[in-house]
Structures are given as C-alpha cells and as structure tokens.
Amino acid sequence: MSNTSLIGILVMSMLINNVVLSQFLGICPFLGVSKKVETATGMGAAVIFVITLSSIICGVIYTFILHPLGLEYLNTIVFILVIAALVQFVEMFLKKSMPALYSALGVYLPLITTNCAVLGAVLLNVQNNYNIIQGIVNGFATSVGFAVAITILAGLREKMKYNRIPKAVEGFPFTMFISSLMAIAFCGFSGLK
C-alpha cells in the first residue's frame, strides 16, 4: 500500500465519488438538515465521527472475525449494529455537551443510524477489498465529502432565501435544482482520476 493509493482513495471518495452527489446515498439528511449552515456543519461533524469510527470498528471485525470464520454473510447485520451503537454514543454526547445542536438536529440525528451513506461507506470498504487503513481513509474521505456537500448546500440555501425566486419553484423544488447543479459541478472532479 503506497501513499499514492491512499491519496487516490481520499480524492476519489471525497470529490469524484461523493457519497451524496454522485452515489445519491444519504439524501434524506442532506435535504432535511441543510436549511442552516450551523446545523449542516453539526450534522457533517456527527457523520464524520460515525463513519470514521464505524470504518475502523467494522474493518477490524470483518478482518479478524467475520472473514476468518467464513461469516461474511453477517457483515450487513453486524455493521448496522455497530453503526447504531455509535450513533447512540454521539446522541448522548451531543445531548449532554451541546444541547442547542442536539435540538437543532432533531430527528435527523437518530436517522444517522439508517443513513445509507454510513452503511454504504462501510460496505464499500468490504466490496473494494480495502485493508483497515484504506477503509479508514475511505470512510473519513466519504464522510468529509458528505460534510462538504451538506455545508455548501446549506450556504446556498441561506443565500437564496433573500433572493426573489418564482413562487412555483420556492422551497423543495429550488433545493433540488441547486442540488442537481452541485452534482453536475462535482462531475468536473472526475478529471482528477
């Protein structure tokens, strides 16, 4: 494993194969929590924590328990349990230390458990045959890509709130339009391969 491959995984997961804008995983919190930059940044930080830690823990479990024992068919169930436990930890931490962010995230915080971006990152580590280090880099880059995308969308939504927009496309239709333009812009990173 060379540094070039780690840098390649980092760039691919964060920009080229952005989990939200090119793989369309994690759309629910992407659209639901992106009304304010503050809450979007908080959600991004929580997702970075959960995906990175779940990549570490699930990588260790898969490499040292599931694969050697021939129990690969249990990986989805085990990964979901690990992710659910990590989300509960994040939820307890935020409730105790940052109650304003906890209430701002609302229902979307427990939904990280069922956020397909989190499970998708961990399953892609197994599917791409990444070792533990490569899986950690992939998980971290995937989550940073999610955080960047949701923060950019939140910033754009905040700015567009003060512009005159036709009534027919206010709200959700305009958010989808902005998201599609962001996805097209992120396609420009495919030249970095």
Side-chain angles (χ1 to χ4, degrees), residues 155-175:
L156 291 172
R157 286 179 77 177
E158 278 187 1
K159 294 291 183 191
M160 291 298 154
K161 191 168 39 175
Y162 301 110
N163 292 335
R164 291 191 309 173
I165 300 169
K167 289 278 187 203
V169 293
E170 274 185 359
F172 187 72
F174 197 71
T175 302

Side-chain angles (χ1 to χ4, degrees), residues 144-155:
V144 168
F146 177 87
V148 165
I150 196 171
T151 305
I152 290 171
L153 180 63

Side-chain angles (χ1 to χ4, degrees), residues 1 18 25 40-41 43 53 61 82 100 105 116 151 165:
M1 171 182 54
N18 186 285
L25 298 174
T41 305
M43 175 60 93
L53 270 182
I61 290 172
V82 168
L105 291 175
C116 53
T151 305
I165 300 169

Side-chain angles (χ1 to χ4, degrees), residues 1 33 51 95 172 180:
M1 171 182 54
V33 184
I51 289 181
K95 189 174 186 179
F172 187 72
S180 63

Side-chain angles (χ1 to χ4, degrees), residues 103-176:
S103 59
L105 291 175
V107 72
Y108 293 100
L109 187 59
L111 284 178
I112 294 175
T113 304
T114 58
N115 184 346
C116 53
V118 180
L119 182 61
V122 177
L123 289 175
L124 283 172
N125 290 342
V126 172
Q127 183 181 2
N128 293 331
N129 293 320
Y130 288 155
N131 61 32
I132 295 173
I133 301 298
Q134 290 171 324
I136 293 168
V137 170
N138 180 57
F140 176 74
T142 298
S143 59
V144 168
F146 177 87
V148 165
I150 196 171
T151 305
I152 290 171
L153 180 63
L156 291 172
R157 286 179 77 177
E158 278 187 1
K159 294 291 183 191
M160 291 298 154
K161 191 168 39 175
Y162 301 110
N163 292 335
R164 291 191 309 173
I165 300 169
K167 289 278 187 203
V169 293
E170 274 185 359
F172 187 72
F174 197 71
T175 302
M176 292 301 293

Side-chain angles (χ1 to χ4, degrees), residues 56-85:
I56 295 168
I57 295 169
C58 292
V60 168
I61 290 172
Y62 183 81
T63 303
F64 295 111
I65 298 172
L66 296 178
H67 186 66
L69 296 176
L71 301 173
E72 292 92 350
Y73 60 92
L74 291 176
N75 65 5
T76 304
I77 295 169
V78 171
F79 295 167
I80 289 172
L81 292 174
V82 168
I83 291 165

